[in-house]
Amino acid sequence: MVKAMETVNLEMNPFTLAFKSPEVEGEYLGEVANRRWPVLIFIFCFDVFCFLFRFVAKWTAASADESAPDAVRPFEVLQEMGHQLCNMAMLYVLIGLLNKRARKAGNNAARQEEVLLSIAMGLAICNLLASLRADNAQDYVYMGYFLICTSTFLKIRWWVGTGLLATPTVAVQLWHSRPPPSSILPPDAVVHIVVAWAVGGLMAYLNDWYRRQMYAHARLASAAHDKEMMEATARIQAQRELAAAQAQAAQRALIVAREKAAHEAKSE
Protein backbone atom coordinates (compact mmCIF):
# COMPACT_ATOMS: atom_id res chain seq x y z
CA MET A 1 0.00 0.00 0.00
CA VAL A 2 2.78 2.41 0.96
CA LYS A 3 4.76 1.51 -2.15
CA ALA A 4 1.70 2.05 -4.34
CA MET A 5 1.10 5.51 -2.84
CA GLU A 6 4.78 6.38 -3.29
CA THR A 7 4.62 5.26 -6.92
CA VAL A 8 1.59 7.49 -7.55
CA ASN A 9 3.31 10.48 -5.91
CA LEU A 10 6.37 9.96 -8.12
CA GLU A 11 4.46 10.05 -11.41
CA MET A 12 5.79 12.82 -13.66
CA ASN A 13 4.12 15.25 -16.02
CA PRO A 14 5.41 14.38 -19.52
CA PHE A 15 5.93 18.05 -20.42
CA THR A 16 7.11 19.86 -17.28
CA LEU A 17 8.45 16.62 -15.70
CA ALA A 18 7.05 17.79 -12.34
CA PHE A 19 6.14 15.10 -9.84
CA LYS A 20 2.45 14.59 -9.11
CA SER A 21 2.91 15.28 -5.39
CA PRO A 22 3.82 18.92 -4.57
CA GLU A 23 5.61 17.72 -1.43
CA VAL A 24 7.80 15.34 -3.43
CA GLU A 25 8.49 18.08 -6.00
CA GLY A 26 9.55 20.47 -3.24
CA GLU A 27 11.84 17.89 -1.64
CA TYR A 28 13.40 17.17 -5.03
CA LEU A 29 14.06 20.85 -5.77
CA GLY A 30 15.58 21.31 -2.32
CA GLU A 31 17.91 18.37 -2.88
CA VAL A 32 18.92 19.73 -6.29
CA ALA A 33 19.72 23.11 -4.70
CA ASN A 34 21.95 21.38 -2.15
CA ARG A 35 23.82 19.58 -4.93
CA ARG A 36 24.19 22.73 -7.06
CA TRP A 37 26.89 24.29 -4.87
CA PRO A 38 29.83 22.11 -6.07
CA VAL A 39 28.76 22.70 -9.68
CA LEU A 40 28.81 26.47 -9.15
CA ILE A 41 32.29 26.26 -7.64
CA PHE A 42 33.53 24.25 -10.63
CA ILE A 43 32.00 26.68 -13.14
CA PHE A 44 33.52 29.62 -11.25
CA CYS A 45 36.99 28.06 -11.38
CA PHE A 46 36.54 27.28 -15.07
CA ASP A 47 35.50 30.87 -15.83
CA VAL A 48 38.45 32.25 -13.88
CA PHE A 49 40.82 29.99 -15.82
CA CYS A 50 39.29 31.06 -19.16
CA PHE A 51 39.47 34.73 -18.16
CA LEU A 52 43.15 34.46 -17.21
CA PHE A 53 43.90 32.63 -20.44
CA ARG A 54 42.18 35.33 -22.51
CA PHE A 55 43.88 38.05 -20.48
CA VAL A 56 47.34 36.59 -21.04
CA ALA A 57 46.61 36.09 -24.76
CA LYS A 58 45.51 39.71 -25.23
CA TRP A 59 48.39 40.99 -23.15
CA THR A 60 50.82 39.04 -25.34
CA ALA A 61 49.14 40.37 -28.49
CA ALA A 62 49.29 43.93 -27.15
CA SER A 63 52.96 43.54 -26.24
CA ALA A 64 53.70 42.41 -29.77
CA ASP A 65 52.18 45.61 -31.15
CA GLU A 66 55.19 47.80 -31.88
CA SER A 67 53.12 50.86 -32.79
CA ALA A 68 51.80 51.40 -29.22
CA PRO A 69 53.97 52.62 -26.34
CA ASP A 70 54.97 49.99 -23.78
CA ALA A 71 53.10 51.77 -20.96
CA VAL A 72 49.85 51.92 -22.91
CA ARG A 73 49.62 48.26 -23.88
CA PRO A 74 48.92 46.74 -20.42
CA PHE A 75 46.60 49.63 -19.56
CA GLU A 76 44.53 49.04 -22.69
CA VAL A 77 44.20 45.35 -21.88
CA LEU A 78 43.14 46.10 -18.30
CA GLN A 79 40.68 48.74 -19.49
CA GLU A 80 39.20 46.40 -22.09
CA MET A 81 38.75 43.38 -19.80
CA GLY A 82 38.22 45.16 -16.49
CA HIS A 83 34.47 45.52 -16.94
CA GLN A 84 34.22 41.81 -17.82
CA LEU A 85 36.01 40.94 -14.57
CA CYS A 86 33.68 43.19 -12.56
CA ASN A 87 30.60 41.71 -14.23
CA MET A 88 31.85 38.19 -13.57
CA ALA A 89 32.57 38.99 -9.91
CA MET A 90 29.13 40.51 -9.33
CA LEU A 91 27.45 37.62 -11.15
CA TYR A 92 29.10 34.94 -9.02
CA VAL A 93 28.55 36.84 -5.78
CA LEU A 94 24.85 37.02 -6.64
CA ILE A 95 24.73 33.35 -7.61
CA GLY A 96 26.49 32.33 -4.39
CA LEU A 97 24.05 34.31 -2.23
CA LEU A 98 21.07 32.85 -4.08
CA ASN A 99 22.31 29.29 -3.62
CA LYS A 100 23.07 29.85 0.07
CA ARG A 101 19.52 31.11 0.60
CA ALA A 102 18.05 28.17 -1.34
CA ARG A 103 20.02 25.61 0.68
CA LYS A 104 18.76 27.10 3.94
CA ALA A 105 15.19 28.11 3.08
CA GLY A 106 14.08 25.04 1.08
CA ASN A 107 11.33 24.60 -1.51
CA ASN A 108 10.16 28.13 -2.39
CA ALA A 109 13.68 29.55 -2.24
CA ALA A 110 14.89 26.74 -4.55
CA ARG A 111 12.20 27.63 -7.09
CA GLN A 112 13.11 31.32 -6.88
CA GLU A 113 16.79 30.48 -7.24
CA GLU A 114 16.14 28.72 -10.55
CA VAL A 115 14.28 31.72 -11.94
CA LEU A 116 16.85 34.23 -10.69
CA LEU A 117 19.76 32.13 -11.96
CA SER A 118 18.16 31.96 -15.41
CA ILE A 119 17.52 35.72 -15.38
CA ALA A 120 21.08 36.43 -14.25
CA MET A 121 22.55 34.24 -16.99
CA GLY A 122 20.20 35.80 -19.54
CA LEU A 123 21.38 39.28 -18.53
CA ALA A 124 25.01 38.11 -18.71
CA ILE A 125 24.42 36.82 -22.26
CA CYS A 126 22.73 40.10 -23.23
CA ASN A 127 25.66 42.00 -21.75
CA LEU A 128 28.02 39.88 -23.82
CA LEU A 129 25.94 40.66 -26.88
CA ALA A 130 26.08 44.39 -26.14
CA SER A 131 29.87 44.28 -25.72
CA LEU A 132 30.49 42.80 -29.17
CA ARG A 133 32.46 44.98 -31.55
CA ALA A 134 33.74 44.55 -35.07
CA ASP A 135 37.08 43.20 -33.79
CA ASN A 136 35.52 40.60 -31.44
CA ALA A 137 32.31 39.68 -33.27
CA GLN A 138 33.32 36.02 -33.26
CA ASP A 139 32.83 35.99 -29.47
CA TYR A 140 29.13 35.37 -30.14
CA VAL A 141 30.07 31.68 -29.98
CA TYR A 142 30.30 32.12 -26.19
CA MET A 143 26.62 33.02 -26.27
CA GLY A 144 25.91 29.68 -27.91
CA TYR A 145 28.00 27.94 -25.27
CA PHE A 146 26.03 29.58 -22.43
CA LEU A 147 22.69 28.85 -24.11
CA ILE A 148 23.61 25.18 -24.44
CA CYS A 149 25.11 24.60 -21.01
CA THR A 150 23.31 26.90 -18.57
CA SER A 151 20.19 24.86 -17.78
CA THR A 152 22.02 21.53 -17.86
CA PHE A 153 25.07 22.46 -15.79
CA LEU A 154 23.16 24.54 -13.24
CA LYS A 155 20.50 21.80 -12.84
CA ILE A 156 17.63 24.14 -13.65
CA ARG A 157 14.22 22.76 -14.65
CA TRP A 158 14.29 22.59 -18.41
CA TRP A 159 11.21 24.74 -19.10
CA VAL A 160 12.34 27.46 -16.67
CA GLY A 161 15.83 27.80 -18.12
CA THR A 162 14.83 27.38 -21.77
CA GLY A 163 11.94 29.82 -21.47
CA LEU A 164 13.91 32.60 -19.79
CA LEU A 165 16.96 32.12 -22.02
CA ALA A 166 14.74 32.74 -25.03
CA THR A 167 15.10 36.47 -24.23
CA PRO A 168 18.73 36.81 -25.39
CA THR A 169 17.91 34.59 -28.38
CA VAL A 170 15.17 36.99 -29.46
CA ALA A 171 17.46 39.94 -28.73
CA VAL A 172 20.04 38.54 -31.15
CA GLN A 173 17.42 38.22 -33.88
CA LEU A 174 16.17 41.78 -33.35
CA TRP A 175 19.68 43.18 -33.27
CA HIS A 176 20.80 41.22 -36.32
CA SER A 177 17.74 42.32 -38.30
CA ARG A 178 19.24 45.80 -38.67
CA PRO A 179 20.71 46.87 -42.03
CA PRO A 180 24.02 45.17 -42.92
CA PRO A 181 26.31 48.11 -42.10
CA SER A 182 24.93 48.18 -38.55
CA SER A 183 25.14 44.43 -38.02
CA ILE A 184 28.56 43.17 -36.98
CA LEU A 185 27.63 39.50 -36.54
CA PRO A 186 28.47 36.92 -39.21
CA PRO A 187 25.63 36.02 -41.63
CA ASP A 188 24.88 32.65 -39.98
CA ALA A 189 25.13 33.90 -36.39
CA VAL A 190 21.37 33.98 -35.80
CA VAL A 191 20.99 30.40 -37.03
CA HIS A 192 23.83 29.27 -34.76
CA ILE A 193 22.31 31.04 -31.73
CA VAL A 194 18.83 29.59 -32.33
CA VAL A 195 20.24 26.09 -32.81
CA ALA A 196 22.30 26.48 -29.62
CA TRP A 197 19.18 27.56 -27.69
CA ALA A 198 17.17 24.60 -29.04
CA VAL A 199 19.97 22.12 -28.29
CA GLY A 200 20.27 23.58 -24.79
CA GLY A 201 16.55 23.04 -24.23
CA LEU A 202 16.74 19.44 -25.45
CA MET A 203 19.79 18.68 -23.30
CA ALA A 204 18.13 20.28 -20.26
CA TYR A 205 14.97 18.20 -20.81
CA LEU A 206 16.88 14.93 -21.05
CA ASN A 207 19.10 15.82 -18.11
CA ASP A 208 16.13 16.79 -15.96
CA TRP A 209 14.30 13.58 -16.92
CA TYR A 210 17.27 11.37 -16.00
CA ARG A 211 17.81 13.20 -12.69
CA ARG A 212 14.16 12.78 -11.74
CA GLN A 213 14.18 9.11 -12.74
CA MET A 214 17.19 8.51 -10.51
CA TYR A 215 15.54 10.42 -7.67
CA ALA A 216 12.28 8.47 -8.06
CA HIS A 217 14.06 5.10 -8.11
CA ALA A 218 16.10 6.11 -5.07
CA ARG A 219 12.92 7.01 -3.17
CA LEU A 220 11.24 3.75 -4.19
CA ALA A 221 14.30 1.78 -3.11
CA SER A 222 14.36 3.65 0.19
CA ALA A 223 10.65 2.99 0.71
CA ALA A 224 11.12 -0.71 -0.07
CA HIS A 225 14.07 -0.87 2.34
CA ASP A 226 12.09 0.85 5.07
CA LYS A 227 9.17 -1.52 4.51
CA GLU A 228 11.51 -4.52 4.66
CA MET A 229 13.08 -3.23 7.87
CA MET A 230 9.64 -2.68 9.41
CA GLU A 231 8.59 -6.20 8.46
CA ALA A 232 11.84 -7.64 9.83
CA THR A 233 11.39 -5.68 13.07
CA ALA A 234 7.80 -6.93 13.33
CA ARG A 235 8.94 -10.53 12.76
CA ILE A 236 11.64 -10.23 15.40
CA GLN A 237 9.17 -8.70 17.83
CA ALA A 238 6.66 -11.49 17.12
CA GLN A 239 9.34 -14.13 17.63
CA ARG A 240 10.34 -12.53 20.93
CA GLU A 241 6.72 -12.40 22.09
CA LEU A 242 6.22 -16.05 21.03
CA ALA A 243 9.38 -17.09 22.88
CA ALA A 244 8.23 -15.20 25.97
CA ALA A 245 4.77 -16.80 25.77
CA GLN A 246 6.33 -20.27 25.38
CA ALA A 247 8.60 -19.65 28.34
CA GLN A 248 5.67 -18.52 30.47
CA ALA A 249 3.64 -21.59 29.35
CA ALA A 250 6.54 -23.91 30.18
CA GLN A 251 6.94 -22.27 33.58
CA ARG A 252 3.24 -22.60 34.29
CA ALA A 253 3.28 -26.25 33.19
CA LEU A 254 6.22 -26.87 35.55
CA ILE A 255 4.37 -25.21 38.43
CA VAL A 256 1.24 -27.27 37.71
CA ALA A 257 3.31 -30.46 37.56
CA ARG A 258 4.95 -29.66 40.92
CA GLU A 259 1.60 -28.87 42.54
CA LYS A 260 0.13 -32.09 41.16
CA ALA A 261 3.06 -34.10 42.50
CA ALA A 262 2.68 -32.43 45.90
CA HIS A 263 -1.03 -33.24 46.05
CA GLU A 264 -0.35 -36.88 45.13
CA ALA A 265 2.29 -37.09 47.82
CA LYS A 266 -0.10 -35.74 50.45
CA SER A 267 -2.87 -38.11 49.41
CA GLU A 268 -0.58 -41.12 49.84
Side-chain angles (χ1 to χ4, degrees), residues 3 217-233:
K3 185 176 181 181
H217 288 306
R219 282 187 67 108
L220 290 175
S222 178
H225 179 265
D226 293 342
K227 181 181 178 181
E228 184 178 352
M229 291 298 296
M230 291 176 60
E231 292 176 351
T233 303

Tab-separated table of all heavy atoms in Angstrom, residues 3 217-233:
chain	number	residue	atom	x	y	z
A	3	LYS	N	4.012	1.446	-0.893
A	3	LYS	CA	4.762	1.512	-2.151
A	3	LYS	C	3.883	2.015	-3.280
A	3	LYS	O	4.334	2.777	-4.155
A	3	LYS	CB	5.331	0.133	-2.476
A	3	LYS	CG	6.230	0.128	-3.699
A	3	LYS	CD	6.839	-1.232	-3.921
A	3	LYS	CE	7.754	-1.210	-5.156
A	3	LYS	NZ	8.355	-2.542	-5.401
A	217	HIS	N	13.630	6.464	-8.415
A	217	HIS	CA	14.059	5.104	-8.109
A	217	HIS	C	14.734	5.037	-6.742
A	217	HIS	O	14.577	4.035	-6.019
A	217	HIS	CB	14.995	4.594	-9.199
A	217	HIS	CG	14.307	4.298	-10.492
A	217	HIS	ND1	13.218	3.457	-10.603
A	217	HIS	CD2	14.541	4.749	-11.757
A	217	HIS	CE1	12.818	3.382	-11.850
A	217	HIS	NE2	13.605	4.166	-12.580
A	218	ALA	N	15.474	6.080	-6.387
A	218	ALA	CA	16.103	6.107	-5.066
A	218	ALA	C	15.047	6.159	-3.959
A	218	ALA	O	15.167	5.479	-2.930
A	218	ALA	CB	17.043	7.295	-4.956
A	219	ARG	N	13.992	6.941	-4.164
A	219	ARG	CA	12.918	7.005	-3.171
A	219	ARG	C	12.173	5.677	-3.072
A	219	ARG	O	11.820	5.228	-1.970
A	219	ARG	CB	11.943	8.130	-3.525
A	219	ARG	CG	12.436	9.511	-3.157
A	219	ARG	CD	11.335	10.530	-3.397
A	219	ARG	NE	10.220	10.342	-2.495
A	219	ARG	CZ	9.939	11.156	-1.475
A	219	ARG	NH1	10.720	12.188	-1.231
A	219	ARG	NH2	8.879	10.933	-0.722
A	220	LEU	N	11.916	5.044	-4.224
A	220	LEU	CA	11.241	3.745	-4.195
A	220	LEU	C	12.105	2.699	-3.499
A	220	LEU	O	11.594	1.873	-2.723
A	220	LEU	CB	10.912	3.294	-5.620
A	220	LEU	CG	9.824	4.094	-6.342
A	220	LEU	CD1	9.682	3.621	-7.785
A	220	LEU	CD2	8.491	3.949	-5.610
A	221	ALA	N	13.410	2.728	-3.778
A	221	ALA	CA	14.305	1.780	-3.113
A	221	ALA	C	14.348	2.038	-1.606
A	221	ALA	O	14.356	1.104	-0.801
A	221	ALA	CB	15.710	1.882	-3.708
A	222	SER	N	14.362	3.314	-1.231
A	222	SER	CA	14.357	3.651	0.194
A	222	SER	C	13.053	3.214	0.855
A	222	SER	O	13.060	2.685	1.974
A	222	SER	CB	14.552	5.155	0.361
A	222	SER	OG	14.506	5.517	1.734
A	223	ALA	N	11.930	3.418	0.153
A	223	ALA	CA	10.646	2.993	0.710
A	223	ALA	C	10.586	1.476	0.856
A	223	ALA	O	10.086	0.952	1.865
A	223	ALA	CB	9.506	3.484	-0.179
A	224	ALA	N	11.103	0.751	-0.155
A	224	ALA	CA	11.122	-0.710	-0.069
A	224	ALA	C	12.020	-1.183	1.073
A	224	ALA	O	11.679	-2.129	1.797
A	224	ALA	CB	11.591	-1.298	-1.397
A	225	HIS	N	13.163	-0.513	1.234
A	225	HIS	CA	14.070	-0.867	2.337
A	225	HIS	C	13.425	-0.605	3.685
A	225	HIS	O	13.516	-1.441	4.608
A	225	HIS	CB	15.363	-0.079	2.198
A	225	HIS	CG	16.347	-0.351	3.295
A	225	HIS	ND1	16.445	0.442	4.423
A	225	HIS	CD2	17.278	-1.333	3.446
A	225	HIS	CE1	17.371	-0.042	5.217
A	225	HIS	NE2	17.902	-1.108	4.641
A	226	ASP	N	12.770	0.542	3.814
A	226	ASP	CA	12.088	0.854	5.074
A	226	ASP	C	10.983	-0.155	5.366
A	226	ASP	O	10.805	-0.584	6.522
A	226	ASP	CB	11.510	2.263	5.025
A	226	ASP	CG	12.587	3.337	4.971
A	226	ASP	OD1	13.739	3.019	5.320
A	226	ASP	OD2	12.276	4.472	4.575
A	227	LYS	N	10.237	-0.534	4.325
A	227	LYS	CA	9.167	-1.520	4.509
A	227	LYS	C	9.750	-2.865	4.929
A	227	LYS	O	9.215	-3.538	5.833
A	227	LYS	CB	8.384	-1.673	3.205
A	227	LYS	CG	7.232	-2.658	3.314
A	227	LYS	CD	6.503	-2.790	1.982
A	227	LYS	CE	5.369	-3.823	2.091
A	227	LYS	NZ	4.668	-3.980	0.797
A	228	GLU	N	10.861	-3.254	4.303
A	228	GLU	CA	11.506	-4.519	4.660
A	228	GLU	C	12.024	-4.482	6.088
A	228	GLU	O	11.896	-5.472	6.830
A	228	GLU	CB	12.644	-4.804	3.680
A	228	GLU	CG	13.313	-6.147	3.903
A	228	GLU	CD	14.408	-6.418	2.899
A	228	GLU	OE1	14.538	-5.632	1.949
A	228	GLU	OE2	15.122	-7.419	3.063
A	229	MET	N	12.588	-3.351	6.498
A	229	MET	CA	13.082	-3.225	7.866
A	229	MET	C	11.934	-3.276	8.869
A	229	MET	O	12.051	-3.890	9.944
A	229	MET	CB	13.855	-1.916	8.011
A	229	MET	CG	15.169	-1.879	7.259
A	229	MET	SD	16.343	-3.128	7.847
A	229	MET	CE	16.620	-2.564	9.531
A	230	MET	N	10.798	-2.631	8.524
A	230	MET	CA	9.638	-2.682	9.407
A	230	MET	C	9.114	-4.101	9.541
A	230	MET	O	8.769	-4.554	10.646
A	230	MET	CB	8.549	-1.749	8.884
A	230	MET	CG	8.863	-0.275	8.984
A	230	MET	SD	7.588	0.767	8.237
A	230	MET	CE	6.166	0.305	9.236
A	231	GLU	N	9.056	-4.819	8.405
A	231	GLU	CA	8.593	-6.202	8.459
A	231	GLU	C	9.552	-7.075	9.256
A	231	GLU	O	9.114	-7.946	10.041
A	231	GLU	CB	8.434	-6.750	7.039
A	231	GLU	CG	7.309	-6.098	6.251
A	231	GLU	CD	7.247	-6.597	4.825
A	231	GLU	OE1	8.192	-7.313	4.420
A	231	GLU	OE2	6.269	-6.271	4.118
A	232	ALA	N	10.861	-6.863	9.068
A	232	ALA	CA	11.835	-7.645	9.833
A	232	ALA	C	11.728	-7.337	11.320
A	232	ALA	O	11.798	-8.246	12.164
A	232	ALA	CB	13.243	-7.344	9.322
A	233	THR	N	11.555	-6.057	11.658
A	233	THR	CA	11.386	-5.681	13.070
A	233	THR	C	10.128	-6.304	13.651
A	233	THR	O	10.125	-6.787	14.797
A	233	THR	CB	11.324	-4.152	13.199
A	233	THR	OG1	12.509	-3.585	12.629
A	233	THR	CG2	11.217	-3.736	14.656
